Amino acid sequence: MYRITVFRGDGIGVEVAEQAIKVVRKLGEKHHLVFEIEEALIGGVSIDKHGVPVTPEALKQAKESDAVFLGAVGGPKWDGLESSKRPEKGLLSLRRELGAYANLRPVRVFGDLAKKSTLKEEIVSGIDFVIVRELTGGIYFGEPRGIFVLPDGRGEQGINTEVYTTPEIERIAEKAFECARRRKRRLTSVDKANVLESSQLWRKVVEEVHKRYPDVTLDHRYVDDCAMQLIREPKQFDVILTNNMFGDILSDEAAMLTGSIGMLASASVGDHCALYEPVHGSAPDIAGKDIANPLASILSVAMMMEHSFNLLELSQSVENAVEKTLGDGFRSADIYQEGMRQVGCSEMGDLIVERIA
Ligand code: IPM
Ligand code: MN
């Protein structure tokens, strides 16, 4: 038996998580496996019900399960709150509590979705790389932080701090080298070492770890250059290793290469059970309309089957079902192309489930 905690969260998180659950249930039925799904609250819904973005009980439940799935958090309703009370804080606490320091974000172009990219088809078709983003450190968590009154009374100052320690860099670098070893053995470490001390340490430690992975080719790029290269020649990349903040930004950029951010899945692995989430957010503007693309969530389920349960056949069958559904001409609104059939979130979920059978 596998115990999965599902946090639907807010906005389209609710709808896309529903499709992920359908897929998990179908996999269970088909392969005679028991996936026990327990839901819990995070984000705005938790603020509304409990007054906090995630409760200690919900965190405990997550930690005790075999894997965690999360839809998305946040929305305009909670935008005015200070950062320690916002929905996003729930997600950050969850990542931290699970020790999920390595965020793997595969960037792949499915079927003929290269046509949907804002870039030329020949630049993006066949793209296949992974962003390994450090997830529990850096400027997201560094102290001091806060908004403080200036002593001279001329206003306030907002402070955030980028901190990385040797062990934190070592463990994420190891994950990235391991990942590269399973792929084309090319690792690009991204930093801002021409300006930031935290990046200088990052570079030094990555070089050290590289000594244990001589079979992997390593190069370093500054983040501004990397942002440009992603648009100029994205196929040069195999594995990109970077910190929390740069990884956040570069993965949204990379998402656009694939046609839509609605296609990008992720796994966050570390000390305890892993966390699976679509890369996209809660998209309040389309929430509740049944038009969101559930494929990022469904592909995150595929990652769960592989990384948490080592059920490679199941993982493959989910990916095949996604390929097949797209190949059969079904599209959610974000990836719609002329001549194809546009379907809603829930119908897309059903089409995938049918094709897993
Ligand atoms: C992501 C999101 C989160 C992040 C937010 C919602 C806290 O943008 O998963 O990329 O910045 O990590
Ligand atoms: Mn993001």
Side-chain angles (χ1 to χ4, degrees), residues 85-132:
K85 301 200 168 96
R86 288 175 60 104
E88 289 80 357
K89 180 67 174 87
L91 173 54
L92 297 176
S93 307
L94 176 64
R95 289 171 175 171
R96 192 65 173 213
E97 194 65 26
L98 294 177
Y101 62 85
N103 181 216
L104 313 176
R105 298 186 158 183
V107 181
R108 253 182 310 166
V109 183
F110 280 84
D112 62 350
L113 290 191
K115 291 196 177 70
K116 275 304 287 181
S117 175
T118 46
L119 272 76
K120 289 194 200 105
E121 195 180 336
E122 67 263 28
I123 301 285
V124 297
S125 66
I127 278 180
D128 181 0
F129 63 90
V130 179
I131 297 178
V132 179

Side-chain angles (χ1 to χ4, degrees), residues 73 88 91-92 95 105 133 135 140 244 248 252 277 279:
V73 294
E88 289 80 357
L91 173 54
L92 297 176
R95 289 171 175 171
R105 298 186 158 183
R133 169 189 177 195
L135 202 60
Y140 274 55
N244 204 342
D248 181 45
D252 268 38
E277 342 163 29
V279 171

Side-chain angles (χ1 to χ4, degrees), residues 255-274:
M256 274 326 290
L257 307 171
T258 70
S260 168
I261 196 165
M263 295 299 300
L264 243 66
S266 87
S268 305
V269 303
D271 302 329
H272 301 279
C273 74

Side-chain angles (χ1 to χ4, degrees), residues 133-311:
R133 169 189 177 195
E134 200 292 326
L135 202 60
T136 55
I139 200 164
Y140 274 55
F141 295 93
E143 297 285 345
R145 68 181 297 161
I147 298 178
F148 306 96
V149 178
L150 285 174
D152 65 8
R154 284 195 305 161
E156 296 167 300
Q157 57 179 346
I159 301 184
N160 291 93
T161 311
E162 168 88 353
V163 185
Y164 272 112
T165 63
T166 305
E168 278 177 319
I169 303 166
E170 260 167 12
R171 63 183 186 176
I172 188 72
E174 279 160 14
K175 286 272 192 245
F177 279 110
E178 296 291 341
C179 178
R181 243 184 202 167
R182 292 190 302 269
R183 300 174 47 93
K184 286 177 251 154
R185 296 175 186 253
R186 287 204 323 264
L187 181 64
T188 306
S189 176
V190 175
D191 61 39
K192 188 71 186 171
N194 50 347
V195 179
L196 306 175
E197 282 77 7
S198 57
S199 280
Q200 287 154 15
L201 181 67
W202 181 279
R203 207 173 258 228
K204 188 171 108 187
V205 175
V206 172
E207 292 279 356
E208 269 313 302
V209 176
H210 184 209
K211 292 182 184 152
R212 285 185 274 130
Y213 298 87
D215 52 315
V216 176
T217 317
L218 169 69
D219 67 336
H220 301 277
R221 281 193 184 276
Y222 298 135
V223 62
D224 47 353
D225 176 33
C226 179
M228 181 175 72
Q229 295 299 333
L230 275 172
I231 303 296
R232 195 181 77 87
E233 200 197 333
K235 279 183 235 177
Q236 68 184 283
F237 295 110
D238 180 25
V239 179
I240 294 178
L241 161 65
T242 193
N243 72 17
N244 204 342
M245 173 72 117
F246 297 158
D248 181 45
I249 299 167
L250 294 178
S251 57
D252 268 38
E253 184 188 358
M256 274 326 290
L257 307 171
T258 70
S260 168
I261 196 165
M263 295 299 300
L264 243 66
S266 87
S268 305
V269 303
D271 302 329
H272 301 279
C273 74
L275 166 67
Y276 299 86
E277 342 163 29
V279 171
H280 64 71
S282 62
D285 51 323
I286 59 164
K289 295 188 181 156
D290 195 34
I291 56 173
N293 181 352
L295 294 178
S297 284
I298 290 170
L299 290 166
S300 299
V301 169
M303 292 188 86
M304 179 190 292
M305 296 300 143
E306 180 185 342
H307 291 270
S308 284
F309 307 146
N310 202 26
L311 297 168

